Amino acid sequence: MKVVILCALFALAYAAPQSADKDAVVVRSELDNIGVDGYKFAYETSNGIAADEQGSLQNAGTDNESISVRGQFKYVGPDGVTYTVTYVADENGFQPQGAHIPA
């Protein structure tokens, strides 16, 4: 009986979809820490995930000092479609845009 259960569990595990994500590697990675004034980074992996972002200091030395961020990321969904999101994050909050995001 135990052998049958083990065989059944093995068959289920073998039949499960294998994810390409587990074998993904970083194919590009960049980081530029500009210092107090801002930063930027970018990366890309072999499975289609990529992102880049840059941030800069706004209103330095005032009570309204903040960081303004612009960037984008993309990934391949389970349906095989590549989804891309661009965004701004500043004093007005996080503002994403993408073809799949309702306006």
Side-chain angles (χ1 to χ4, degrees):
M1 181 68 168
K2 289 180 183 179
V3 172
V4 172
I5 292 173
L6 284 174
C7 288
L9 288 174
F10 179 78
L12 284 173
Y14 185 74
Q18 300 299 312
S19 173
D21 293 339
K22 72 177 183 169
D23 297 323
V25 295
V26 175
V27 295
R28 182 174 66 98
S29 177
E30 300 173 16
L31 175 60
D32 186 10
N33 184 354
I34 302 166
V36 176
D37 295 331
Y39 68 91
K40 61 182 172 178
F41 71 82
Y43 64 85
E44 185 174 351
T45 62
S46 60
N47 62 347
I49 296 172
D52 62 80
E53 181 178 290
Q54 61 185 24
S56 60
L57 186 61
Q58 305 295 316
N59 304 313
T62 70
D63 289 342
N64 296 324
E65 185 175 279
S66 64
I67 294 179
S68 177
V69 176
R70 294 186 176 277
Q72 71 172 4
F73 61 88
K74 71 175 185 168
Y75 63 94
V76 179
D79 54 4
V81 174
T82 299
Y83 294 93
T84 302
V85 176
T86 58
Y87 59 88
V88 173
D90 56 17
E91 67 275 1
N92 298 313
F94 181 67
Q95 305 152 53
Q97 294 182 344
H100 63 289
I101 299 173

